[in-house]
Amino acid sequence: MLIRVPRRSDEKESAVTDPEIYRQRRIFMQQCAAGVAGLAGSLLVGGQAQAGLTIGAVQSSPYSTDEELTPMHAATHYNNFYELGYKKEDPSRNAAALITEPWTVEVEGHCENPGTYAVEDLVPVDQLEERIYRLRCVEAWSMVIPWLGVPLSVALKKLRPTSQARYVAFQTILDPENLPGQRRAVLDWPYVEGLRMDEAMHPLALLTVGMYGQVLPNQNGAPIRIVVPWKYGFKSIKSIVRIRFVEGQPPTAWNQATPHEYGFYSNVNPEVNHPRWSQRRERRIGEFRKRKTLMFNGYAEEVAHLYSGMDLHKYF
Ligand SMILES: Nc1nc2c(c(=O)[nH]1)N[C@H]1C(S)=C(S)[C@@H](COP(=O)(O)O)O[C@H]1N2
Ligand SMILES: [Mo]
């Protein structure tokens, strides 16, 4: 069954699912998962028929953490999205400046299926999963967010990268006329990021179109972003318009801006401090006491093998 989910920009604030309704849906989903086979794990995300991405039944994922969710309001009003401003409250305030319709993604480089793709062509919306992942920012705060997406590998496989593709590069929209943050040269616009191909193909790397049961709010990177839960938040590039398969390690926005502070890998690593502060601890939004930061953000068992033999002080 397919249900149309209204776009965030079409909704009044009051119509946006509040956390309590969201919590009830989650309980419903857990009950489904425990019960009827076939329906197991299905979460029907609601909304009237309106223009927007069509989201069907959403599968829960064994990769989800069972930690307490960050309230949706915090996750959507405390953001880093420099295109929409440099302060944490700017992206939600300036969200309307990001024009997401129409939206296409250019696919280029070493692959058999280059071209112009609609979001729905890259993300099979009838296969969406909910992944409850931690997102840890390099600034030492963290959140627990229920993302909606498909493994990045699902989309990349469709594009059929060739053996020459060793990295995949991503680029965010460039629109200085509308995006207030792009009128100043704080970063070398457009924002770019990249992953080694085996990182990108890892099942934890998520190509994301929604959160909290809805399409992504603009400030969280609508209409399509990645979420790489074992890396610092800035690797999780928002509002992607270009995917390029390349041979050499691609430039990344924060590494270009301050290379001694931000490396290409940017794995969450409590042993490697940021030059200006420790990375040993973090503050979970909504909590007072700091907690210990875990290697690879708690996903070491799944991803440590990707970096075996690498000196993670050198490749930070
Ligand atoms: N295009 C773009 N993507 C971006 C950023 C940005 O400024 N521009 N900020 C990054 C940083 S530093 C973080 S911590 C996360 C924040 O994601 P969230 O606002 O959904 O929590 O987005 C990342 N992706
Ligand atoms: Mo960040």
Side-chain angles (χ1 to χ4, degrees):
M1 176 181 191
L2 294 179
I3 293 179
R4 285 199 152 263
V5 175
R7 275 195 192 276
R8 179 66 176 78
S9 51
D10 296 337
E11 295 183 337
K12 299 218 176 64
E13 190 67 36
S14 60
V16 174
T17 313
D18 72 40
E20 176 55 21
I21 294 172
Y22 188 75
R23 200 182 63 83
Q24 287 165 8
R25 280 191 193 145
R26 285 203 52 73
I27 291 168
F28 168 72
M29 183 177 70
Q30 281 156 8
Q31 286 165 347
C32 287
V36 200
L39 239 181
S42 307
L43 165 67
L44 300 178
V45 285
Q48 311 111 293
Q50 280 184 31
L53 200 66
T54 305
I55 292 180
V58 174
Q59 303 301 306
S60 60
S61 167
Y63 286 117
S64 290
T65 172
D66 55 11
E67 289 162 87
E68 198 183 324
L69 298 184
T70 298
M72 185 173 73
H73 191 269
T76 55
H77 290 79
Y78 187 87
N79 302 100
N80 273 343
F81 194 178
Y82 271 23
E83 289 83 343
L84 293 174
Y86 311 120
K87 287 187 290 186
K88 298 287 180 279
E89 61 276 16
D90 287 344
S92 55
R93 209 158 36 89
N94 297 328
L98 175 69
I99 315 286
T100 59
E101 246 169 310
W103 195 277
T104 53
V105 180
E106 297 297 325
V107 174
E108 308 170 341
H110 299 298
C111 66
E112 287 171 27
N113 295 326
T116 304
Y117 288 79
V119 172
E120 293 87 334
D121 297 335
L122 291 174
V123 179
V125 284
D126 55 341
Q127 290 173 34
L128 287 182
E129 286 178 37
E130 180 177 73
R131 297 276 186 98
I132 302 173
Y133 280 166
R134 297 172 284 271
L135 182 141
R136 189 199 187 278
C137 184
V138 76
E139 294 161 276
W141 48 266
S142 62
M143 298 188 185
V144 178
I145 299 177
W147 304 103
L148 295 179
V150 296
L152 179 56
S153 65
V154 167
L156 297 188
K157 277 178 195 157
K158 274 199 216 180
L159 306 174
R160 302 190 67 86
T162 66
S163 57
Q164 268 170 293
R166 294 189 50 237
Y167 294 85
V168 55
F170 302 92
Q171 184 189 306
T172 294
I173 184 175
L174 179 66
D175 184 11
E177 262 175 49
N178 290 304
L179 296 169
Q182 287 185 338
R183 286 177 215 136
R184 279 169 53 192
V186 171
L187 288 173
D188 192 0
W189 308 111
Y191 195 102
V192 288
E193 258 303 338
L195 296 168
R196 217 172 54 197
M197 196 58 77
D198 59 343
E199 298 180 310
M201 299 303 270
H202 190 282
L204 280 173
L206 197 68
L207 189 58
T208 305
V209 294
M211 63 197 291
Y212 297 89
Q214 304 178 12
V215 294
L216 283 172
N218 286 356
Q219 62 266 36
N220 292 88
I224 185 167
R225 69 175 298 177
I226 57 172
V227 177
V228 193
W230 69 95
K231 290 176 183 279
Y232 291 116
F234 64 89
K235 293 294 288 183
S236 295
I237 182 173
K238 296 176 169 178
S239 306
I240 294 167
V241 295
R242 193 178 302 273
I243 298 176
R244 185 183 294 150
F245 295 97
V246 295
E247 224 175 311
Q249 184 178 295
T252 61
W254 279 103
N255 179 252
Q256 281 180 311
T258 39
H260 63 291
E261 294 187 327
Y262 307 109
F264 175 80
Y265 282 93
S266 304
N267 290 318
V268 174
N269 187 343
E271 303 295 320
V272 176
N273 289 331
H274 186 280
R276 288 182 280 136
W277 60 82
S278 163
Q279 291 290 27
R280 293 208 167 275
R281 295 184 170 276
E282 68 195 53
R283 196 175 69 83
R284 182 68 48 87
I285 298 298
E287 292 180 357
F288 180 68
R289 288 184 68 186
K290 290 197 172 176
R291 50 170 82 209
K292 272 192 175 166
T293 288
L294 301 175
M295 188 65 197
F296 298 114
N297 208 20
Y299 298 98
E301 210 175 299
E302 290 88 353
V303 302
H305 69 275
L306 294 173
Y307 311 101
S308 61
M310 284 175 68
D311 177 354
L312 297 183
H313 285 85
K314 183 172 174 206
Y315 299 102
F316 64 97

